[in-house]
Amino acid sequence: METITKTEQKLNKKSKIKMSGAEAVVKCLLAEGADLIYGYPGGAIMPVYDELYKYQNEIHHVLTRHEQGAIHAAQGFARATGKVGVAIATSGPGATNLVTGIADAQIDSTPVVCITGQVGSNLLGSDAFQETDIISISTPVTKWNYQITDANEIPEIMAKAFFIAKSGRPGPVLVDITKDAQFGELEFEYKKCKEIRSYTPVPKINKSKIKATAEIINKAKKPFIIFGQGVILGEAEEEFKALIEKADIPCASTLLGLSAIPTNHDLFYGMVGMHGHYAPNKLTNECDVLIAIGMRFDDRVTGNLETYAKQAKIIHFEIDPAEVDKNVKSDVAVLGNVKDTLSEILPLIKNNSHPIWHKKFDDLYEIEFKEVIDAQQNPTEGGITMTEVLTSLNNESKGDAVIVSDVGQHQMIASRYSKFNQTKSKITSGGLGTMGFALPAAIGAKMGVPEREVVAIIGDGSFQMNIQELGTILQTKVPVKIIILNNEFLGMVRQWQELFFDKRYASTEMTNPDFIQIARGYGLKANRVTQREDLLGAIEDMIASNESYLLEVVVEKEGNVFPMIPTGASVSDVRLK
C-alpha cells in the first residue's frame, strides 16, 4: 500500500487553492474537458454564471432560448462527438424545463451532465420562490442524481457525474447545487473518478458464452443480425463490420443504430421496425439464428412479442444486464461492451457464405422497391413527396452529412432514405419520440463537429415546438441547414387517423405561419419550394451556402409512410400499402 509522508501531506495541502463553490464548478468542467456548454441563467444559478463570465475564454457557453433547447443541444453535441454534453439551468421552471430532454437522453443512452441551481439549503422544503424538488422529479429519468448543499462536495460529485454519465451504458446525470454551496468556500482539488464502489458499468465477459455463441453462429443456415446504437456507443463499428463480413450475415439496423456501417454495404438491408424495410421485418420470422447487438428489443422493433422470432435461437450482445430477457428471451446472452465481446468472438467465427439466404432479402427488396420506393422517389403526379426531398439531399450531400431528424413521418422517411458513409451521422429522438428535438440538437451537433455538414429534417409541427432556437442560431451564427417538410398536418397522427380511425382528422390539420418570413427575421437565408422542378436547385443552393439556411418544401398533404407494421401486429404482417 502506498504511504504518504507528512512532508507530502503538507505539500498537497499547500497545493490546494481556496475558491468559491461556483468557481469550483467551472474548474470541474474544465478538468473534464467540457469547454462547450448550453444553458439559460437565473437567480439560483447566478453565482456559477458569474464565474463562467470570468472564464469565457476557456469555456464557450451557448445561451439557448429555452432550457429544453439547452438539453437537446447538449444531446446533439454528445451524439455527434461521443463526448459528454453539458446543460445548465436555474431552479424551479429552469430545472423542470430540462426534464423532457433528460428523459429523452435516458431512454436513448445519451451521456449528458445537467447542472441546476437550487434555493439556499436553509430554504429547502419551504416552497421558496422558484424552489422545485428536481431530485425527486428527475430520479426516474436519470442514471444518477445528487443534490449538493456543501461547497466541499463539489469536486467529488462533479467527477462522479461525468464518470457515471459516460461509463458503461451512457445516460443523463443531474447535479443540483444550492445557492449557499455555490457561494461557500472550499480548498479545491480535483481527481477524475475512475471507479465507484458497487457500480459495475461494464460486466465481465463470460468466455463460455462467447464460445457457445460462436458455435451457434457457425452452424446457422439463415443467420440475421439486428444492430442498435450500442455498436456506435461502444465504438465497435470495425469489429461489427468484420463479423458480418467473415460470417456473411445479413444485417439491419434499429432507428438509432443507423450509420454504424455505411448504408451502401452489401450486407446491410435497411432498418427494422414499424416503418422499417420489408425484407428485414419479414425475415425476422424466418431466420434460424437472430443475433441482437447493442439493441434492446424495443416494441417498435418487435411488434407482437407473442409471434416475434419464435423459430429462431436468440443471441443478445448487451452491456446492460437489465435489458437481457426483458422483452425477448435469449438463448445466449453475451454481456459486455460490444467492442470487447465482438473482438473476443471474431477468432472463433468461421468464414461462411449464405447465398440462398441473401437472395430472399434481395427478392423482398425488389418487391418493396416496385411497390413503394420507386413510386415515392419518382412520382408521376401529385405533390412533392418527402422521399424526393431526401433523395435530392442524398445526391447533393453524397452521404457525408449528419442528418438530424425530428419526430413524425419525416423522421421515418429521413431514416429510411438517407445515405450514410460514416458513423455518428444519424441523430434523432428514438425511445421518447420528442417533437422539437431536431432544431436544438442540430445546433449542438454542428458545434460538436463543425467540419461536417449538418442538416436538420423537420416537420412543420415539430418545427414549431422549439422554433425559438432560431434565436440561438442568430446569436451564434452556427451554420446549420434546416429543411422543413411542410404538409400542414401532424402527419404521423393523421396517417393513423386515416388508416385506423376512418379519416377522422381530429386536431391534426395545421394553419402555419410564414416560415420564410420568420427565418429571415432571425437572420437566416431562406427559400420555399412548391414545384418539383425547383427542388434540386434549391437543395444545391442550401448546401452551397456557408451560412445557416432554411429551406421549406411544401410536400403532398396526405402522403403516407410505408411499409408499416400496425400496432400490435406481427413483424410478418408488415404492410406495403
Side-chain angles (χ1 to χ4, degrees), residues 6-189:
K6 288 184 178 180
T7 304
E8 287 174 321
Q9 286 177 338
K10 287 180 181 179
L11 287 171
N12 286 341
K13 194 171 184 180
K14 286 181 181 178
S15 69
K16 294 177 183 177
I17 303 170
K18 284 191 174 182
M19 63 180 65
S20 70
E23 186 176 6
V25 171
V26 177
K27 288 287 189 182
C28 293
L29 293 173
L30 287 169
E32 292 291 344
D35 55 2
L36 175 61
I37 65 177
Y38 302 86
Y40 204 98
I45 197 67
M46 205 174 293
V48 170
Y49 268 88
D50 189 53
E51 293 299 331
L52 284 171
Y53 180 84
K54 300 172 188 176
Y55 284 87
Q56 58 188 302
N57 291 330
E58 295 170 72
I59 292 183
H60 180 200
H61 173 273
V62 178
L63 174 64
T64 58
R65 296 305 185 262
H66 192 283
E67 291 87 356
Q68 188 178 350
I71 180 65
H72 288 329
Q75 288 176 270
F77 171 86
R79 295 269 289 274
T81 64
K83 300 176 183 178
V84 177
V86 178
I88 184 168
T90 193
S91 62
T96 58
N97 282 343
L98 293 175
V99 172
T100 294
I102 293 171
D104 192 285
Q106 172 80 337
I107 200 165
D108 282 355
S109 306
T110 305
V112 289
V113 169
C114 297
I115 301 166
T116 54
Q118 185 56 273
V119 300
S121 55
N122 63 313
L123 294 174
L124 290 173
S126 70
D127 292 332
F129 176 68
Q130 290 195 332
E131 181 200 357
T132 301
D133 185 0
I134 194 61
I135 294 298
S136 295
I137 290 170
S138 65
T139 293
V141 292
T142 49
K143 191 175 177 185
W144 183 64
N145 64 14
Y146 189 90
Q147 185 175 77
I148 295 175
T149 58
D150 183 338
N152 290 290
E153 295 181 292
I154 288 172
E156 180 186 0
I157 297 305
M158 290 292 288
K160 282 184 176 180
F162 276 88
F163 176 66
I164 292 171
K166 179 65 175 169
S167 59
R169 180 181 180 178
V173 170
L174 183 138
V175 178
D176 192 45
I177 312 175
T178 61
K179 201 165 184 179
D180 53 315
Q182 296 172 54
F183 278 125
E185 193 174 71
L186 72 154
E187 290 185 333
F188 183 78
E189 182 183 27

Side-chain angles (χ1 to χ4, degrees), residues 210-221:
I210 294 287
K211 184 179 179 182
T213 296
E215 290 175 355
I216 293 171
I217 292 173
N218 288 334
K219 291 177 182 177
K221 302 299 182 186

Side-chain angles (χ1 to χ4, degrees), residues 307-484:
T307 60
Y308 186 76
K310 293 301 181 182
Q311 79 295 337
K313 289 187 175 180
I314 308 289
I315 298 168
H316 196 176
F317 286 80
E318 178 57 53
I319 197 169
D320 185 356
E323 294 294 350
V324 173
D325 297 339
K326 185 175 79 173
N327 296 325
V328 174
K329 176 71 176 174
S330 60
D331 291 275
V332 183
V334 184
L335 292 174
N337 185 311
V338 292
K339 187 177 185 69
D340 299 327
T341 53
L342 292 180
S343 295
E344 289 277 343
I345 203 170
L346 268 170
L348 304 179
I349 296 296
K350 296 177 181 177
N351 289 302
N352 216 327
S353 178
H354 303 286
I356 297 173
W357 179 228
H358 282 290
K359 189 175 185 306
K360 282 203 166 191
F361 282 86
D362 293 334
D363 290 345
L364 289 177
Y365 173 79
E366 287 302 317
I367 293 172
E368 181 181 353
F369 182 82
K370 291 175 182 176
E371 293 285 332
V372 177
I373 298 172
D374 187 45
Q376 286 291 302
Q377 288 180 332
N378 303 292
T380 56
E381 58 184 7
I384 300 171
T385 68
M386 293 186 186
T387 304
E388 286 181 274
V389 181
L390 267 297
T391 301
S392 296
L393 179 61
N394 287 331
N395 291 337
E396 192 60 26
S397 68
K398 311 300 182 188
D400 292 324
V402 176
I403 304 297
V404 185
S405 59
D406 222 290
V407 174
Q409 286 182 317
H410 63 279
Q411 176 189 35
M412 295 297 103
I413 293 293
S415 302
R416 284 176 47 81
Y417 293 99
S418 294
K419 303 298 181 187
F420 303 113
N421 295 331
Q422 55 185 303
T423 189
K424 298 184 180 73
S425 292
K426 174 61 181 176
I427 299 172
T428 193
S429 170
L432 198 64
T434 305
M435 291 177 68
F437 172 88
L439 181 58
I443 292 170
K446 182 61 179 179
M447 289 181 168
V449 287
E451 72 283 359
R452 298 192 65 189
E453 191 75 75
V454 175
V455 182
I457 309 293
I458 313 179
D460 50 307
S462 292
F463 184 62
Q464 293 175 85
M465 287 278 188
N466 274 314
I467 194 171
Q468 76 284 340
E469 296 311 323
L470 291 176
T472 306
I473 296 175
L474 171 66
Q475 187 160 347
T476 62
K477 307 300 182 189
V478 59
V480 171
K481 308 298 171 60
I482 303 161
I483 298 179
I484 300 176

Side-chain angles (χ1 to χ4, degrees), residues 439 442 446 453-458 463 470 473-474 477-484 515-516 519-520 522-529 534-553:
L439 181 58
K446 182 61 179 179
E453 191 75 75
V454 175
V455 182
I457 309 293
I458 313 179
F463 184 62
L470 291 176
I473 296 175
L474 171 66
K477 307 300 182 189
V478 59
V480 171
K481 308 298 171 60
I482 303 161
I483 298 179
I484 300 176
F515 294 125
I516 304 304
R520 289 174 179 163
Y522 278 105
L524 276 73
K525 290 184 176 180
N527 188 19
R528 177 186 290 114
V529 172
D534 299 329
L535 178 61
L536 184 57
I539 288 179
E540 288 174 350
D541 290 344
M542 180 192 72
I543 296 296
S545 175
N546 293 322
E547 303 173 32
S548 52
Y549 196 111
L550 184 144
L551 176 63
E552 177 191 358
V553 183

